[in-house]
């Protein structure tokens, strides 16, 4: 008789559905995305069951905002208002790894364009500085400075930086 929580699967499922809707215009994908976001908005942090787990705000924010940008023209006025309230009220994690900082920077950049927020631009640049400090002389990106240089996080971070480059 309760929702156990979803970590970040609902927002990522919503984003996948939004991408598929954008490519196919199949209303089934639009419906899936809307339902997943509705679930996310009704279960995020304050209602999150697994209190001992670190709630992954940055993963949520990234996917939710991308989903909104893809679907905003297909939402009802009420849905658009609810989604924007969710976007305005997000939080971020204090996780200082490079891949999280890249995801956070990207989300702040996108949200600054949507909400015209100067504080989001400041937070965007703060997160970019973290990434810059993580770069090695050979171009590699440490995920945890002086502790790890994971290839999958390097690739993910570079992909996010590419997305940022496409916007700027």
């Amino acid at each position: 008789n309760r929702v156990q929580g979803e970590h970040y699967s609902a927002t990522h499922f919503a984003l996948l559905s939004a991408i598929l809707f954008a490519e196919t215009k199949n209303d089934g994908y639009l419906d899936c995305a809307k339902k997943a976001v509705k679930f996310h908005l009704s279960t995020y942090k304050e209602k999150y069951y697994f209190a001992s787990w670190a709630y992954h705000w940055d993963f949520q924010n990234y996917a939710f905002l991308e989903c909104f940008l893809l679907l905003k023209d297909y939402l009802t006025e009420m849905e658009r208002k609810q989604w924007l309230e969710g976007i305005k009220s997000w939080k971020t994690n204090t996780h200082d790894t490079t891949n999280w900082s890249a995801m956070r920077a990207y989300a702040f950049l996108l949200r600054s364009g949507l909400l015209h927020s100067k504080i989001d631009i400041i937070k965007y640049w703060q997160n970019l500085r973290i990434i810059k400090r993580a770069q090695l002389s050979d171009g590699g990106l440490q995920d945890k400075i002086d502790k790890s240089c994971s290839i999958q996080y390097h690739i993910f971070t570079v992909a996010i930086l590419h997305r940022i480059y496409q916007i700027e």
Side-chain angles (χ1 to χ4, degrees), residues 23-148:
E23 290 179 357
T24 67
K25 297 301 184 234
N26 179 323
D27 288 337
Y29 293 126
L30 177 61
D31 186 53
C32 285
K34 287 182 176 188
K35 285 178 180 175
V37 168
K38 184 177 181 179
F39 177 79
H40 165 67
L41 290 174
S42 69
T43 62
Y44 64 106
K45 187 61 175 170
E46 286 73 25
K47 298 176 185 171
Y48 193 58
Y49 181 72
F50 297 107
S52 63
W53 289 14
Y55 189 78
H56 287 37
W57 278 106
D58 296 312
F59 283 84
Q60 303 276 12
N61 299 343
Y62 156 78
F64 182 27
L65 187 51
E66 284 272 29
C67 189
F68 176 79
L69 293 173
L70 283 169
L71 299 180
K72 65 184 177 187
D73 295 335
Y74 301 95
L75 302 174
T76 67
E77 190 60 37
M78 176 67 87
E79 289 167 335
R80 202 170 10 265
K81 182 179 176 189
Q82 290 169 336
W83 289 32
L84 279 170
E85 285 305 311
I87 289 167
K88 288 176 187 175
S89 68
W90 78 21
K91 297 174 185 160
T92 60
N93 299 101
T94 56
H95 206 306
D96 64 349
T97 57
T98 303
N99 77 92
W100 283 53
S101 297
M103 193 168 28
R104 198 176 301 121
Y106 181 60
F108 278 125
L109 180 62
L110 290 177
R111 190 170 80 163
S112 72
L114 181 65
L115 303 179
H116 310 290
S117 167
K118 290 181 182 178
I119 192 75
D120 284 345
I121 289 292
I122 292 168
K123 290 179 180 182
Y124 160 70
W125 284 106
Q126 288 171 337
N127 281 282
L128 282 184
R129 277 194 292 278
I130 293 169
I131 299 163
K132 179 87 170 141
R133 285 195 306 264
Q135 188 170 7
L136 299 170
S137 61
D138 66 0
L141 293 166
Q142 302 173 83
D143 198 47
K144 200 76 165 134
I145 296 176
D146 296 328
K147 292 187 180 171
S148 71

Side-chain angles (χ1 to χ4, degrees), residues 6-19 36 56 58-64 103 156:
E6 46 81 24
H7 213 41
Y8 52 87
S9 60
T11 52
H12 282 70
F13 176 75
L15 178 54
L16 172 62
S17 298
I19 291 167
H56 287 37
D58 296 312
F59 283 84
Q60 303 276 12
N61 299 343
Y62 156 78
F64 182 27
M103 193 168 28
F156 177 79

